[in-house]
Amino acid sequence: MSGFVVALALFALLLAGVPIAIALGGLGLIMLWAAGFSLVIVPQALHGALDNFVLLAVPLFLLMSNVMLKGGMGHDLYAAVQSWVGHWPGGLAIATIVSCALFAALSGSSVATGATIGTVAIPEMIRRGYGRSFVFGLLAAGGTLGILIPPSIPMIIFGVIAEQSIVDLFLAGVGPGLTLAVLFSGYAMIHARRAGTLIPEKAAPWRERRRLSLRASPSLILAAIILLGIYAGAFTPTEASAVGLGLAIFITVVILRSLDWPQFKEAVVESARTTVAIFLILSGAKIFAKAITLYRIPQDVSGLISGAVGDAGLFIVAVCAVLLVMGLVLEALSMLVIMVPVFLPTVVALGIDPIWFGVLFVIMIECALITPPVGLNLFVIQAVGRAHMAEVARGVWPFVVIMLSVVGLISIFPQLALYIPFHLL
């Protein structure tokens, strides 16, 4: 069974609406059976997919982000940032981006970031005269910072699949993540100056700034504890997720008193649903990866690419083009579990740093999150803003261009991603 036939069968299943976990696992099972391999491989693959200490961080970080979402910590962050920069030209848009970056550093979830900040920012920005498409595009793109600025669930999964250090991946995401946030903010300021229809707002009184900053300070302290604890080696990313969850519950229940028992139960249920979906996809992907490895498809693809594209730069261009096209029809996790095992042998053969490649891959996933027709963040912002999909899609294209520009930047200056993990710390 050739790689082309396998790819065709997989895309046919996905286009037919078969859930990604079933499509991957079922196709892998059929491939193993057709080639006469022992099906004992299947339960072994399932066990191997989930028997990983690092993956415990996924449900814990998800629950932490949902606890913060239900407890209103995103609202507090946004209000505090807005009080400091809301009166600047384009200040409300900058406050939105900064809030997304801060909440991303807390939750590690793109969906939670977009939904939390969007709920507060969308009505306020529209009231101040910002165009609806720009607002929706800004929030959809700002939410993607949740998978690049650590902690990042996709980076955890990439690290598991590629067998790379999660801490190094987290550190490598800091530089590109902050660069994206700065470029988003710069574009927001340019847009605000060109619009000329924004309603100016007075600077918040110092007393109000202090009050709002004090209320948001537990969130910032939580982010600092998680990130500094990981980078200082005080605890692993998995242990950090448990520490973060405990602190998030303590802050929302004891300090802010903004989370009640029904909200907590709702957060647990939503986190459990997302966790089950992720783990089912990982299980199906493990069976599929085992099958294509036994068929030597990754090795053949790697050999084909290495023979046709001997230059690392051309390979990266080809990878970005493939991921950009796949992002139109696949969501982020599917791209990770399907394409990383295929690309990784060539990455190693061409001498490309796997940590750097992980950052590039995650940025391309960010593009997938905001490109129609299946960009998950588009649906989140559409639901939060009660908008038409066309309105949201129109607003995201400038931010897709910015993301691709950052891909170009880290390709020309790889130290933008690699300096912090390998030279600074």
Side-chain angles (χ1 to χ4, degrees):
M1 190 180 294
S2 69
F4 177 76
V5 174
V6 172
L8 193 63
L10 179 59
F11 278 103
L13 289 171
L14 295 175
L15 291 174
V18 178
I20 180 68
I22 297 174
L24 288 170
L27 183 57
L29 183 62
I30 292 171
M31 291 171 64
L32 292 171
W33 173 79
F37 291 110
S38 172
L39 295 185
V40 174
I41 294 173
V42 174
Q44 290 175 342
L46 289 173
H47 182 266
L50 301 179
D51 185 25
N52 193 317
F53 175 72
V54 174
L55 284 179
L56 283 174
V58 173
L60 293 175
F61 273 131
L62 282 171
L63 183 53
M64 184 185 77
S65 67
N66 275 309
V67 165
M68 293 188 295
L69 176 63
K70 304 297 180 185
M73 292 175 69
H75 182 280
D76 294 337
L77 271 176
Y78 183 76
V81 175
Q82 183 186 350
S83 70
W84 287 96
V85 302
H87 59 286
W88 295 359
L92 197 57
I94 296 173
T96 300
I97 293 298
V98 173
S99 299
C100 284
L102 291 173
F103 197 80
L106 284 166
S107 69
S109 168
S110 173
V111 172
T113 300
T116 303
I117 305 302
T119 303
V120 187
I122 289 174
E124 182 66 15
M125 291 185 70
I126 292 176
R127 183 187 68 82
R128 287 274 299 274
Y130 288 86
R132 287 172 59 87
S133 289
F134 171 78
V135 173
F136 299 143
L138 180 76
L139 264 299
T144 64
L145 296 172
I147 67 168
L148 189 57
I149 295 177
S152 162
I153 291 171
M155 279 192 172
I156 293 172
I157 294 173
F158 179 92
V160 170
I161 296 172
E163 298 181 351
Q164 297 296 317
S165 166
I166 307 298
V167 174
D168 286 347
L169 284 165
F170 279 1
L171 287 168
V174 172
L178 294 179
T179 301
L180 266 179
V182 170
L183 291 178
F184 285 172
S185 299
Y187 170 70
M189 292 184 71
I190 294 171
H191 176 85
R193 290 183 181 277
R194 291 175 58 189
T197 58
L198 306 184
I199 301 172
E201 186 161 311
K202 294 181 179 179
W206 284 101
R207 178 179 297 178
E208 183 72 1
R209 290 177 177 178
R210 285 194 297 270
R211 183 185 68 81
L212 292 173
S213 299
L214 184 62
R215 184 167 178 84
S217 60
S219 303
L220 300 177
I221 293 171
L222 171 58
I225 290 173
I226 292 175
L227 299 180
L228 293 177
I230 292 174
Y231 303 151
F235 34 71
T236 66
T238 303
E239 293 166 344
S241 64
V243 171
L245 173 59
L247 289 174
I249 294 173
F250 178 79
I251 290 170
T252 53
V253 173
V254 178
I255 298 178
L256 300 179
R257 298 181 182 179
S258 56
L259 185 74
D260 56 25
W261 180 245
Q263 289 174 318
F264 180 73
K265 287 196 296 183
E266 189 177 347
V268 170
V269 171
E270 290 180 7
S271 302
R273 287 174 178 165
T274 306
T275 299
V276 169
I278 290 174
F279 280 15
L280 282 174
I281 292 173
L282 286 175
S283 300
K286 190 71 172 181
I287 298 171
F288 181 73
K290 180 67 72 173
I292 64 172
T293 301
L294 292 173
Y295 273 74
R296 295 191 57 80
I297 291 175
Q299 294 89 332
D300 292 343
V301 171
S302 177
L304 179 64
I305 296 175
S306 298
V309 184
D311 179 70
L314 291 177
F315 170 73
I316 293 301
V317 171
V319 167
C320 291
V322 169
L323 293 179
L324 201 58
V325 172
M326 291 188 66
L328 300 176
V329 294
L330 291 178
E331 44 79 36
L333 186 57
S334 303
M335 291 171 63
L336 267 172
V337 297
I338 293 172
M339 298 311 299
V340 170
V342 174
F343 287 142
L344 201 60
T346 308
V347 169
V348 175
L350 292 176
I352 298 171
D353 191 297
I355 299 296
W356 177 89
F357 183 75
V359 174
L360 177 137
F361 205 104
V362 169
I363 296 175
M364 295 307 300
I365 286 177
E366 288 184 311
C367 292
L369 282 168
I370 60 174
T371 50
V374 296
L376 185 57
N377 273 31
L378 301 182
F379 294 109
V380 172
I381 300 304
Q382 180 191 21
V384 172
R386 298 178 181 178
H388 297 293
M389 179 56 71
E391 283 185 299
V392 186
R394 276 198 306 271
V396 300
W397 291 113
F399 298 98
V400 173
V401 172
I402 292 173
M403 289 177 185
L404 294 178
S405 301
V406 172
V407 169
L409 277 175
I410 67 169
S411 298
I412 298 171
F413 307 107
Q415 291 303 312
L416 184 61
L418 299 179
Y419 182 77
I420 294 178
F422 297 122
H423 298 285
L424 186 61
L425 298 178

